[in-house]
Amino acid sequence: MSQMLHHGRGRVSILLAVFFLLASACHKSPARLAYDSIDGATTAVQASLKAFNILYQQGIADEADRTKARAAYETFQKVAVAASYVAEAATTPDERAAAIRKTSEAAVAAISTLDDLSAEVKARPPTGGAK
Amino acid sequence: MTTDPKPRLDAGTILTLIVEVGLPLASDLIDLFYRAGSVSADDWTALRAKTRTPFDDLVPARPGGES
């Protein structure tokens, strides 16, 4: 009987622990949401840039393409860094929402430019490999 | 204008947790609960460092490629 009680108690403990982990994952504050959004946008833009880098290192993309990629990335960087300062100093969810929106728009613009650039580069006729 | 909601645990929940899972685990879980919603100054600094990763680190110039 005591073993059964002990077993049941262990189960309750595990359930409580799982509940807590779920609750902690679900109650993201506006600050955490802003942080995760800016972090995710940065990861996505840098992933697009890494994809472009493969084309560049293979000699498929040229220096003019690299200059365009740099411009797209650096524009995003300026917005994301500014948004991180706004989100950190913000005292209301509205201010943080604005920072998230600006970062998202900048990330969409940068990823779109980088993806278009990569597609354009891939569609070009081969020029004979790396320079 | 709304202010940030501050999630809190009531005393009953904390006590139940301590009784059910023991103090060390309860302490870790409570810490996790409160940290999940907050972002420290160090976190923001680390995020800005990531965001400021130089373009040249992500797309290094090819040897003899840059004019």
Side-chain angles (χ1 to χ4, degrees):
Chain A
M1 179 69 183
S2 69
Q3 254 188 339
M4 276 176 66
L5 273 174
H6 183 74
H7 184 70
R9 194 182 171 88
R11 225 185 232 173
V12 170
S13 301
I14 292 166
L15 280 174
L16 261 175
V18 170
F19 166 77
F20 249 76
L21 287 172
L22 287 174
S24 65
C26 292
H27 85 274
K28 280 187 178 182
S29 67
R32 174 55 62 181
L33 278 173
Y35 178 91
D36 288 348
S37 300
I38 297 169
D39 187 39
T42 302
T43 300
V45 171
Q46 290 179 348
S48 280
L49 206 51
K50 285 174 187 168
F52 169 79
N53 182 48
I54 293 169
L55 298 172
Y56 172 73
Q57 297 302 330
Q58 289 174 343
I60 300 167
D62 60 21
E63 293 307 316
D65 299 322
R66 186 168 182 261
T67 302
K68 287 179 195 167
R70 180 192 293 276
Y73 179 63
E74 289 180 351
T75 301
F76 166 77
Q77 270 186 312
K78 284 176 196 160
V79 175
V81 169
S84 74
Y85 281 111
V86 170
E88 185 181 9
T91 52
T92 68
D94 292 348
E95 289 168 335
R96 290 197 177 101
I100 292 170
R101 193 172 57 249
K102 290 280 179 199
T103 308
S104 301
E105 287 168 1
V108 167
I111 292 168
S112 172
T113 301
L114 290 167
D115 286 356
D116 288 352
L117 189 59
S118 293
E120 184 193 316
V121 164
K122 281 183 205 167
R124 271 182 216 154
T127 55
K131 290 171 195 171
Chain B
M1 196 163 72
T2 54
T3 53
D4 290 354
K6 300 268 188 252
R8 297 184 68 85
L9 293 173
D10 60 78
T13 306
I14 293 171
L15 280 174
T16 306
L17 196 64
I18 292 169
V19 169
E20 290 296 339
V21 302
L23 187 57
L25 181 56
S27 170
D28 287 349
L29 289 170
I30 291 164
D31 187 47
L32 181 68
F33 180 87
Y34 282 107
R35 270 192 299 114
S38 65
V39 183
S40 69
D42 286 349
D43 290 338
W44 286 114
T45 303
L47 174 60
R48 279 191 280 275
K50 176 181 172 178
T51 304
R52 284 181 171 133
T53 302
F55 176 84
D56 294 314
D57 288 2
L58 297 164
V59 185
R62 287 191 307 244
E66 206 160 23
S67 52

